[in-house]
Amino acid sequence: MRALSLLVLSAAAVLAGCQHGNVRKDPVEGLDFIALPASARGQQDLYIGRGQVIVRAYRGCVAHGSCSKEPLERHHVRAGKEVCTGAGTDGEQALNCVSFDEADVFCKFVRARVPTADEWQRAALRTGRDAILATLTDWTSSGGGGQKEVRTGNWKDADDEQRSWSTGSRPSAGFGAEVGFRCVQDAVP
């Protein structure tokens, strides 16, 4: 099984106990995190998923018995084509058709959490548009009253609408073919 790598891209001397360029290992297959150093007072150093959580990584959580297998069994056909990636065989695709609650359990399984909307925005501004934009909208942990904010453009939007500050909200227990997620870890000195 390939290890989860936490690659430090910061020029800061130490983040989360790793020197610049070092890699930390974790026993989760299919995830990469990049360093996101604090840029203002009150912010803390973070690691954020380089990409959205892929089907293979989520399958590992299910095999461990920590995550629900429902996102891997959901079927939704649009225009005659299956659009839920968990139901397919390609483990390298970003997982969609996953609720916030299921994303939250997965992130906790990898000793991480779903980023807040502000953390997601910070990552979009600091790492560059191409690094954070993806084919799916990301869940964030911001929101209340059974609703969670989602961020970014997605494959349903026109190209000119794919900008990092796109926001919306969805029921946290709901799921959709256009929604995936990434995780964030707090950097511990």
Side-chain angles (χ1 to χ4, degrees), residues 58 98-106 139 148 171-174:
Y58 192 86
V98 60
S99 71
F100 169 82
D101 299 329
E102 292 158 342
D104 188 47
V105 169
F106 175 87
W139 284 111
K148 294 294 181 186
S172 61

Side-chain angles (χ1 to χ4, degrees), residues 111-140:
R111 296 182 301 277
R113 58 186 170 76
V114 177
T116 66
D118 288 343
E119 290 167 341
W120 191 97
Q121 185 70 26
R122 183 174 132 209
L125 294 172
R126 293 290 305 278
T127 62
R129 178 186 151 130
D130 293 336
I132 198 79
L133 283 183
T135 58
L136 302 173
T137 297
D138 282 335
W139 284 111
T140 75

